[in-house]
Amino acid sequence: MSANIKFSVGGELDMPIYNAIDIHPQHWNGWLRPIVTIETALQIAEDIFNHDDLSDNNPYHDIHDAIKEARENFEDTVEVGGYIIWDEVQL
Protein backbone atom coordinates (compact mmCIF):
# COMPACT_ATOMS: atom_id res chain seq x y z
CA MET A 1 0.00 0.00 0.00
CA SER A 2 1.07 3.56 -0.49
CA ALA A 3 2.31 5.81 2.27
CA ASN A 4 0.47 8.75 3.86
CA ILE A 5 -2.94 7.16 4.15
CA LYS A 6 -5.64 8.99 6.08
CA PHE A 7 -7.68 6.81 8.45
CA SER A 8 -10.20 7.04 11.26
CA VAL A 9 -12.41 4.78 13.33
CA GLY A 10 -14.61 3.07 10.76
CA GLY A 11 -13.33 5.44 8.06
CA GLU A 12 -15.83 7.99 9.32
CA LEU A 13 -15.33 11.67 8.49
CA ASP A 14 -16.88 12.83 11.78
CA MET A 15 -14.19 11.01 13.81
CA PRO A 16 -10.62 12.26 14.34
CA ILE A 17 -8.61 11.61 11.16
CA TYR A 18 -4.98 10.54 11.37
CA ASN A 19 -2.14 10.03 8.90
CA ALA A 20 -0.53 6.62 8.55
CA ILE A 21 2.94 6.44 7.11
CA ASP A 22 2.22 2.87 6.06
CA ILE A 23 -0.31 0.07 6.51
CA HIS A 24 0.48 -3.44 7.69
CA PRO A 25 -0.13 -5.78 4.73
CA GLN A 26 -2.39 -8.06 6.80
CA HIS A 27 -5.66 -6.72 8.18
CA TRP A 28 -7.17 -7.49 11.60
CA ASN A 29 -10.69 -8.93 11.06
CA GLY A 30 -10.85 -6.93 7.83
CA TRP A 31 -9.74 -3.64 9.40
CA LEU A 32 -6.60 -1.61 8.70
CA ARG A 33 -3.51 -1.94 10.85
CA PRO A 34 -2.01 1.56 10.46
CA ILE A 35 1.64 2.30 11.12
CA VAL A 36 2.12 5.81 12.50
CA THR A 37 4.75 8.01 14.10
CA ILE A 38 5.09 7.86 17.86
CA GLU A 39 3.63 11.38 18.06
CA THR A 40 0.52 10.29 16.17
CA ALA A 41 0.24 7.17 18.32
CA LEU A 42 0.31 9.32 21.46
CA GLN A 43 -2.47 11.52 20.03
CA ILE A 44 -4.57 8.47 19.16
CA ALA A 45 -4.10 7.06 22.67
CA GLU A 46 -5.29 10.32 24.21
CA ASP A 47 -8.24 10.55 21.81
CA ILE A 48 -9.47 7.01 22.55
CA PHE A 49 -8.99 7.12 26.33
CA ASN A 50 -12.33 6.31 27.98
CA HIS A 51 -12.71 8.74 30.88
CA ASP A 52 -16.17 7.37 31.72
CA ASP A 53 -15.13 3.73 32.15
CA LEU A 54 -11.50 3.35 33.20
CA SER A 55 -11.77 -0.44 32.89
CA ASP A 56 -12.45 -0.02 29.15
CA ASN A 57 -9.03 1.24 28.08
CA ASN A 58 -7.28 -1.81 26.64
CA PRO A 59 -6.59 -0.12 23.26
CA TYR A 60 -5.10 2.89 25.09
CA HIS A 61 -2.79 0.63 27.09
CA ASP A 62 -1.93 -1.45 24.00
CA ILE A 63 -0.80 1.67 22.15
CA HIS A 64 1.33 2.82 25.09
CA ASP A 65 2.89 -0.65 25.32
CA ALA A 66 3.69 -0.52 21.58
CA ILE A 67 5.25 2.93 22.01
CA LYS A 68 7.38 1.68 24.91
CA GLU A 69 8.56 -1.30 22.85
CA ALA A 70 9.32 0.91 19.84
CA ARG A 71 11.39 3.30 21.94
CA GLU A 72 13.29 0.41 23.54
CA ASN A 73 14.15 -0.78 20.01
CA PHE A 74 15.07 2.73 18.81
CA GLU A 75 12.17 2.73 16.36
CA ASP A 76 10.15 5.82 15.48
CA THR A 77 6.94 4.16 14.24
CA VAL A 78 4.18 2.13 15.87
CA GLU A 79 1.38 -0.11 14.60
CA VAL A 80 -1.92 0.94 16.19
CA GLY A 81 -4.21 -1.65 14.60
CA GLY A 82 -5.12 -4.06 17.36
CA TYR A 83 -8.76 -4.07 18.48
CA ILE A 84 -9.66 -0.76 16.84
CA ILE A 85 -11.84 -0.74 13.74
CA TRP A 86 -9.67 1.54 11.60
CA ASP A 87 -10.51 2.13 7.97
CA GLU A 88 -9.23 4.42 5.27
CA VAL A 89 -10.95 7.79 4.98
CA GLN A 90 -12.24 8.63 1.51
CA LEU A 91 -11.95 12.40 1.12
Side-chain angles (χ1 to χ4, degrees):
M1 283 221 159
S2 61
N4 296 318
I5 296 167
K6 295 194 180 303
F7 68 98
S8 70
V9 171
E12 299 294 325
L13 294 174
D14 61 346
M15 300 295 287
I17 298 172
Y18 308 100
N19 289 315
I21 58 171
D22 205 355
I23 299 291
H24 193 283
Q26 295 180 335
H27 287 61
W28 171 77
N29 285 344
W31 300 105
L32 293 181
R33 293 169 57 193
I35 299 169
V36 301
T37 64
I38 288 177
E39 292 78 19
T40 299
L42 287 168
Q43 182 62 55
I44 291 169
E46 294 308 309
D47 289 348
I48 65 171
F49 187 81
N50 187 343
H51 296 276
D52 297 325
D53 183 358
L54 298 179
S55 68
D56 183 32
N57 278 306
N58 287 341
Y60 170 88
H61 295 296
D62 291 344
I63 290 172
H64 275 280
D65 289 345
I67 291 169
K68 180 182 175 188
E69 183 177 330
R71 287 181 170 157
E72 289 171 352
N73 292 311
F74 303 102
E75 298 170 353
D76 57 0
T77 60
V78 177
E79 181 194 322
V80 293
Y83 307 108
I84 303 173
I85 55 170
W86 297 122
D87 207 357
E88 190 170 349
V89 171
Q90 303 297 322
L91 297 174

